[in-house]
Amino acid sequence: MAGAGGGAGPPPGWYHRDLSRAAAEELLARAGRDGSFLVRDSESVPGAFALCLLFQKHVHTYRILPDEDDFLAVQTSQGVPVRRFQTLAELIALYLQPNQGLVCALLFPVERDKDRDAAEERDYSDGDDEKPPLPPRCGSSSGCSAAGGLGPAGPAAAVPDGAAESPNGPLPLPHEYLRSAQYSLDLAGVQGGATSLPHLTRALGASCRRLHSEVDKVLAGLETLAKVFDPQSAPGVGRALQQPMGQGGEQELETLVLKLSVLKDFLSSIEKKALKALQEMSSAAPSTPLQPLSRKAKSIPVQTFEVKLDVTLGDLTKIGKSQKYTLSVDVEGGKLVVLKKQRDTQEDWNTFTHDKIRQLIKSQRVQNKLGIVFEKEKDKTQRKDFVFASARKREAFCQLLQLMKNRHSHQDEPDMISIFIGTWNMGGVPPPKSIASWVTSKGLGKTLEEVSVAIAHDIYVLGTQENSLGDKEWVDLLRAALKDCTDLEYRPVAVQALWSIKVVVLVKPEHENRISHVSTSSVKTGIANTLGNKGAVGVSFMFNGTSLGFVNCHLTSGSEKTARRNQNYVDILRLLSLGDKQLSAFDISLRFTHLFWFGDLNYRLDMDIQEILNYIGRRELEPLLRVDQLNLEREKHKVFLRFGEEEITFPPTYRYERGSRDTYVWHKQKPTGVRTNVPSWCDRILWKSYPETHINCNAYGCTDDIVTSDHSPVFASFEVGVTSQFVSKKGLSKSSEQAHIEFESIEAIVKTSSRTKFFIEFYSTCLEEFKKSFENDAQSSDNINFLKVQWSSRQLPTLKPILSDIEYLQDQHLLLTVKSLDGYESYGECVIALKSMIGSTAQQFLTFLSHRGEETGNIRGSMRVRVPAERLGTRERLYEWISIDKDEAAAGKGKVPLGARATQDCARSSTSKPTAADPSTIPKPAEEPEQSSTIPTPRPPAPHRRDEPAPSRAKAEPEPLHNSFNNPAYYVLEGVPHRRRPSSPPAPRDGSSSDEDALNLPPPDFPPPPLPRDLAEPPPPAGREEPRPRPGPSEGLPPRPQPGPGGADGSCSVLQMAKSLSEQEFGAPPRRGHEGPRGAAFHTHPIRESIREDLGEEAVGAGGAVGVWLRALGLQRYEQGLVHNGWDDLEFLSDITEEDLEEAGVRDPGHKRVLLESLQLRK
């Protein structure tokens, strides 16, 4: 067999198994000598290798492919003779000699780190036990699942141990038989006169073993069904045909054929018995309806909320008079009753049905305030702003109204579902009698309001570690717990187990038919990645048109093993086989619309135990979160790149004294001495979503009454936007009505020292098949470690979606992977939302590239999605019904938040004035708050005061504007990224922090790349002031964490990339009224400098002259609307029109006249 070493001994030092392409280039760059080489596994072809050779500071990659005889050869150009070798060592021995066709001879092997290999072999992947626990008796993976009797309700049966060794599943039968010695033995037997093929028969029997168990399960279910219609039917047909132990291959096949024959006859007889029984029932009791098998969910009683009318915005004629109201939500009846309190009595003020409630508008500045837009008459609305007792009360009210809207909607399919995620390390002991607090999100941290607890989730996903129960026993316990809480019989979608690591997915009965394409997988990361005491299990499926993925993991323990945990994460990311198999070029972080990753991640706190206990005692969590290993590794982009996590407001969930939640136990006596396990947030829930999708985390906390384990169960609740299986009302598109996805240009900057050519592959569910571009037609490099590659429009394909309706296309995404021509390996992948690209004019995109969990560069370009005019009809989604009052966040200072202002500037500078023919770019009127999706935001760095509750990240962040992206993984091309808090040390407590410290700054290490010179801006028009000088690097902004020396930690410093490639100088983008040519308006200097410029402009514009001018006219009420719409500088306010004033909220004709006349006088 062609292997690394060719024998039974250890592989050669130059062979690096499972080494990534990026890591190989780093090792060779560190070696630094021409002729340095190594061999790694190919990332594009299973069973192949890649020879990486350094010459003149560039890495040259040669593919080594096996042929049909299992010989190895270096891939050559056409016409060059192929040299074949039995082993990899023989091949390398030849190319050690000069003049063998490589760019230079192989001179200096780059060997593996033997110390690290030895450490991994010794690593038991478990810091708490001397020996890893044995697997459960029922076996591994889903062998338990199959035996558990989930039956037809569980669509995901698991693969037996032997068949699941390959990360991509078992080898196909022809491949397995023909490439093994079995084929040769049968051939030799036939040549010797044999008339049978025993090895083929044995292989066929082995491949059909799983089919045996499936047939047995179906027969058992059919027997039960037969007894329902004919109690006298003969029992035990399935048991009589059970496969006896120790059968040979030929007997196995005979038994299987017999079972299939019985199954066919059984199906025919059941149909006849069922028809006869139903006919008898019909004649005996024709008027008796069949009773439903499942109980109906608990009805939600009418809920009331005590509120006050916010008279400042609600009724300017009654300022200062407190008005108390009661809001009563009748979910079942579909109405909202508003009761106005007058002295000691209540007067019915109004009743609104669900269809008369047009919009909910959450205040961002006042977390417990909500605006409700009612429809009073046709096309006339009224807004009332109410102040609730708390922010949690407001959220519960919104959830109830959303549920009411959903229940009484005329839509056949839901726009939004709720998902519960739970993770619990059970500590190897059975659970308590009740786990109700876990599945109802009760306990510590961000919990649900009591009203919301009564609302059952659509999907429950529960992950456990060190679970000693069998699969069926555990699933039955969970279903019983949910039935007690909701009165619903939840159906199991899938259960996947790896030793004591389990994940169970349960769904409401009404959604069972909406779930398809269920997939399960597991990955072992225990000792040498062969034991399942540590690892991950995963489940994925489609909910109508939305792909969902769930990963439950148990990573290496021990405070000192952060690097090993990081490697566990990368291994799981790469090897877990879930989702669409056509997306195998992408890791699981890009295969799903929404991916949830949870479990006992085992990251610890890097702090002295006594300091940790002191902070916990004082309920100060922020100093602990700053030393949390997972947060630190995420900030360095080592793990969970662009994942989100809700703010942690609950104490560390590990390591408690069993039987109590009052005491942490950090000492454990072991044979090797005393081990210290500091209290830590080991149990976590994170998620990652495609750009421009909706997801909101409503709860994130832990229980405080489940004490059987040394870990507390952790829960999270999400509302998730989903799409339906779209069916066009207009039928299939004619050729004249075909939508097109067109690219004008694409430019990528990839982290590589290779100088090969590249092409792009495009994948999407809206395409019949993936498409490829031609090779790039331009490339350059100003830095040896980075390469800029460019494609013009003639190199890029025009994509034709299978459906052309805008309602369908705005929910679709494109997956791109940049691949090399020399090895067909990916150098980076990304995802782009089509929603913002729809229109008659090209739109720009910019996002980062990643590969195997590492950031590898960025990609940007210009594209458009052309939609025929007759296919432009769309509708509002339920999650768009609630919006954020974005202009209110800085109302006290008369200016909008920086992030919102920056995005508005970009939108103005990068697009021409919209036309009626391009509905996707038409701005909304000022009185209609824009719908947006909630951002999964990272942990805020600044500590909160002891006398105040910790601020919620999700609430503290300004919401994105209409055209902004709602995912931390997505950036606006013009240089203003999605708003995230800086991953930098917090501001001091002495009050010396400036306003800038509280601003939502972008990630510090991902500035945009420079633009091509042909996109440079023209100089600003004459008479315009130049922008104010930018402050120095350290003025006003918190310090950035410094990367490791020379990138020795293997992380990709995209800041270094942008710095080395940002030699060009470009002008500032034009402002409204002075727009330059389309496509020329970009922020072209680094993001932080753009922010400092905006800060300077804010101080002069929005916070100064506009407000002073309006106050002098007595019209300061319009300040917010004008600033929100971008009219924040008197210098270009002179260009405003009556239409612009109308959009900014100035309705009164007299006020319009006063404002315009004043501006004319100023001219």
Side-chain angles (χ1 to χ4, degrees), residues 534-660:
K534 293 293 189 292
V537 291
V539 173
S540 66
F541 53 86
M542 297 290 295
F543 186 98
N544 281 343
T546 300
S547 56
L548 301 172
F550 305 91
V551 178
N552 171 36
C553 69
H554 194 183
L555 306 185
T556 300
S557 62
S559 295
E560 72 284 357
K561 293 184 179 177
T562 303
R564 180 66 175 159
R565 281 187 284 275
N566 294 351
Q567 187 59 47
N568 290 165
Y569 163 78
V570 173
D571 291 340
I572 295 167
L573 193 73
R574 181 170 58 91
L575 298 175
L576 204 60
S577 180
L578 294 174
D580 189 349
K581 302 305 180 189
Q582 295 183 0
L583 301 180
S584 58
F586 303 86
D587 64 51
I588 59 172
S589 71
L590 286 176
R591 290 187 195 174
F592 306 104
T593 313
H594 304 283
L595 172 67
F596 300 88
W597 194 308
F598 47 94
D600 183 357
L601 275 59
N602 254 324
Y603 286 93
R604 307 302 173 89
L605 298 180
D606 285 332
M607 185 181 282
D608 178 73
I609 178 64
Q610 200 54 53
E611 288 186 77
I612 294 175
L613 296 175
N614 290 340
Y615 279 122
I616 294 175
R618 297 197 300 265
R619 299 185 180 180
E620 293 185 50
L621 303 183
E622 187 60 36
L624 301 180
L625 290 168
R626 290 202 297 270
V627 297
D628 174 77
Q629 290 176 348
L630 178 57
N631 289 336
L632 295 173
E633 295 304 297
R634 287 179 63 202
E635 287 169 359
K636 292 186 286 187
H637 290 186
K638 294 287 190 181
V639 291
F640 293 101
L641 187 65
R642 303 307 191 273
F643 275 73
E645 183 183 25
E646 181 60 30
E647 181 190 4
I648 293 177
T649 58
F650 50 92
T653 55
Y654 173 82
R655 180 175 186 258
Y656 283 106
E657 181 180 16
R658 294 178 189 248
S660 167

Side-chain angles (χ1 to χ4, degrees), residues 787-1029:
L787 181 65
K788 182 198 297 183
V789 289
Q790 296 167 306
W791 292 263
S792 61
S793 58
R794 62 179 178 273
Q795 306 299 112
L796 297 167
T798 295
L799 309 178
K800 296 182 179 180
I802 54 178
L803 293 174
S804 298
D805 301 73
I806 191 173
E807 186 176 341
Y808 168 77
L809 291 173
Q810 67 183 2
D811 292 326
Q812 302 304 310
H813 294 79
L814 273 182
L815 293 171
L816 279 65
T817 174
V818 179
K819 290 188 172 182
S820 65
L821 280 176
D822 59 2
Y824 290 87
E825 293 180 324
S826 175
Y827 280 59
E829 305 95 44
C830 70
V831 60
I832 299 171
L834 294 188
K835 187 173 185 178
S836 292
M837 305 293 128
I838 296 175
S840 58
T841 54
Q843 306 292 320
Q844 286 79 36
F845 65 88
L846 165 67
T847 186
F848 68 92
L849 292 170
S850 66
H851 181 62
R852 289 192 172 185
E854 178 186 355
E855 191 172 318
T856 58
N858 57 29
I859 186 170
R860 65 176 177 181
S862 180
M863 64 180 286
R864 69 171 65 88
V865 181
R866 293 184 180 271
V867 180
E870 57 271 22
R871 301 273 176 168
L872 291 177
T874 187
R875 63 181 180 84
E876 183 183 67
R877 305 296 202 272
L878 177 62
Y879 51 81
E880 297 172 333
W881 182 60
I882 298 180
S883 66
I884 303 296
D885 213 348
K886 291 172 283 294
D887 62 339
E888 212 185 26
K893 298 182 181 180
K895 63 179 182 179
V896 302
L898 171 65
R901 157 71 194 282
T903 310
Q904 288 171 344
D905 285 349
C906 292
R908 288 200 302 273
S909 65
S910 64
T911 56
S912 56
K913 193 170 184 63
T915 63
D918 189 6
S920 65
T921 58
I922 296 176
K924 295 189 175 184
E927 71 272 17
E928 293 184 27
E930 302 168 29
Q931 291 85 12
S932 62
S933 299
T934 303
I935 313 162
T937 52
R939 174 182 60 85
H944 59 277
R945 291 166 46 190
R946 294 187 197 176
D947 56 345
E948 294 178 353
S952 169
R953 273 173 297 162
K955 296 174 183 175
E957 298 286 342
E959 293 293 318
L961 295 183
H962 184 62
N963 288 327
S964 65
F965 305 107
N966 76 330
N967 189 287
Y970 219 65
Y971 297 90
V972 179
L973 176 60
E974 290 84 349
V976 179
H978 183 276
R979 289 162 294 291
R980 292 181 60 189
R981 290 188 177 272
S983 54
S984 53
R989 292 175 180 261
D990 58 6
S992 61
S993 60
S994 66
D995 286 343
E996 292 181 48
D997 294 326
L999 293 171
N1000 300 288
L1001 301 180
D1005 50 352
F1006 198 82
L1011 290 171
R1013 295 185 184 277
D1014 56 0
L1015 290 181
E1017 284 283 337
R1024 294 291 304 273
E1025 291 184 10
E1026 294 297 322
R1028 295 180 56 179

Side-chain angles (χ1 to χ4, degrees), residues 1041-1054:
Q1042 296 299 319
D1049 57 1
S1051 62
C1052 170
S1053 172
V1054 190

Side-chain angles (χ1 to χ4, degrees), residues 410-443:
H410 298 299
Q411 297 296 325
D412 295 330
E413 298 298 328
D415 289 329
M416 191 173 69
I417 59 174
S418 61
I419 299 178
F420 174 92
I421 305 288
T423 178
W424 182 23
N425 186 320
M426 299 174 65
V429 299
K433 292 182 179 179
S434 173
I435 57 171
S437 60
W438 186 29
V439 296
T440 55
S441 303
K442 291 182 179 179

